[in-house]
Amino acid sequence: MTPIIQASNLQKSYSGQRVVDGLNLSIHKGECFGLLGPNGAGKTTTLRMLLGLISPDAGEISLLNLPVPQAAREARIRVGVVPQMDNLDPDFTVAENLLVYGRYFGLKDSEIEARIPSLLEFASLTNKRNAKVPTLSGGMKRRLTLARALVNDPDVLFLDEPTTGLDPQARHLIWQRLRELTQQGKTLLLTTHFMDEAERLCHRLAVLDNGKLISQGTPRELIEQNIEPQVVEVFGETAEAWANINAAHYSQRFELSGETVFCYLHDAQPLVAHLQTQNSLRYLHRPANLEDVFLKLTGREMRE
Amino acid sequence: MSIRDFALPELSMRFFPIWQRHWLVWKKVAAASIMGHLADPVIYMLGLGYGLGSLLPQMGGTSYMTFLAAGTVCYSTMNSASFEALYSGFSRMHEQRTWEAILNTPITLDDIVLSEILWAATKSLMSGIAVLVVIWLLGLSHSVMSLWMIPLALLVGLAFAGLGLIMTALAPSYDFFLYYFTLVITPMMMISGVFFPVNQLPESVQMVSNVLPLTHAIDLARPLMTGAVPPAALLHIAVLLAYTLFGFYVSLVLFRRRLSR
Ligand SMILES: Nc1ncnc2c1ncn2[C@@H]1O[C@H](COP(=O)(O)OP(=O)(O)OP(=O)(O)O)[C@@H](O)[C@H]1O
Ligand SMILES: [Mg+2]
């Protein structure tokens, strides 16, 4: 089966700086694919190239079996987009936003009007139907943006940080909705900075850093391939001094971040037994997760 | 810079839902907007018309007020298209990210720029008609020929929308537009024959005046208001159309370079 979204050897530079550098992606029908990467890694730029909004300097793209950017307009008829920054129409009500947006897809007013109730239901905005956009909370705006992206009943959804800035309740609601969309057979390409979100929602993930794809696979594969299975976090004022003497002995690898020592290891028992004798230290033993992988792959340094 | 930036515009009816969007926004503020279109030009026309008109002899066989009326329609349509293309256009492109939202749908930048030009011209049409209604009610024009002022308002709107969008494409912020208004629009109003005949100006200034779109608009408007067929009408229409096409194409190239890279 040919992938729904395929990119090969994508390149994009801004003022001499490689922002996307030799990227290859293939995303299949019904997949929820996550694009991870620190700020400035090139996620949004990649999405914009895949949508045909900017042209790559080199490389090939096909979206829904159409060549992009040449036939991007035709491809976008079957695509929905949740942009990183909200761009709802502030002059309009919730329902008007959906109506006006549906018209851009060439839909008849009667068709859009018929879809609005179920879109509002999906976004849990039914009783906000006639509220103006500036009166909505951040979470409501995000849900409206998601509903708007569905107005043309797309086969593919691009979601650029769909849950950034939302409280846990709102994030959980969006997660549930995105799962429903994959169950309906839609293909989702999303970016996120939340590793728990990526781990729960995405079938496959790609980690981008400085425009390069540095790792790709299912969440489980990424963890298994990149990192020791167990983590013991050790914290306390004396953690650093403790680590300099003991950490290397008990763990395969360790990292110091602030007052916390992260010990990565295959068998945590000896370390845990040792830590139980150390009164000045506290610790947390847990399985390795995607965040550990992400930090290992992209480093603990701040970007930008 | 890419060769694709210079491609000729692809025209389609896809501009229409965007035009409808602007119309829906406008309907919500229609009353205030019509007031805005009317108040300024009518106050100037009446103030200067009564005040100066009593001091001045007939101008080209009409009262000064009638003389001023033709210019007032033209400059108020110029102003509405310019304000729409600059301030409102910039807001939709930059502040509100309306264009960004639209570009995620099967609509292209070509469609958006076309819709902006046509919408700004629509605003000109509305303000032109509003001023004309006042002129007719005051009895400043009796000729049926003055109905041709309506399509003229649209044409003037198209020309200034095109020019205005070039500024919008280049603008880093709203402040930039002050240059355009103080260095281009206001001087143009002074030397295009709105308030006094162009032949009152020094020869060299008249040469500049002859290439300005507002001058050509007024050369069409003034005879129409008194029921005459404008001399060299086709030339004037051609100049205004040329400004429209120039503005559309140049602004589109600039918008592509600004937004599609
Ligand atoms: N139009 C542009 N002009 C110049 N530089 C740009 C442009 N768009 C993006 N960049 C640069 O490209 C790099 C990648 O940006 P991009 O927005 O793709 O990152 P991102 O992975 O989406 O980051 P974030 O997580 O912060 O959203 C950044 O260094 C950014 O400054
Ligand atoms: Mg981004």
Side-chain angles (χ1 to χ4, degrees), chain A residues 43-45 84 160-161 191 193:
Chain A
K43 302 179 295 297
T44 300
T45 305
Q84 181 167 359
D160 201 353
E161 300 189 24
T191 76
H193 291 295

Side-chain angles (χ1 to χ4, degrees), chain A residues 14-15 17 19-20 37-46 84 160-161 193 208 304, chain B residues 261:
Chain A
Y14 283 117
S15 38
Q17 181 104 8
V19 168
V20 174
N39 289 139
K43 302 179 295 297
T44 300
T45 305
T46 302
Q84 181 167 359
D160 201 353
E161 300 189 24
H193 291 295
L208 224 57
E304 315 202 311
Chain B
R261 46 182 50 227

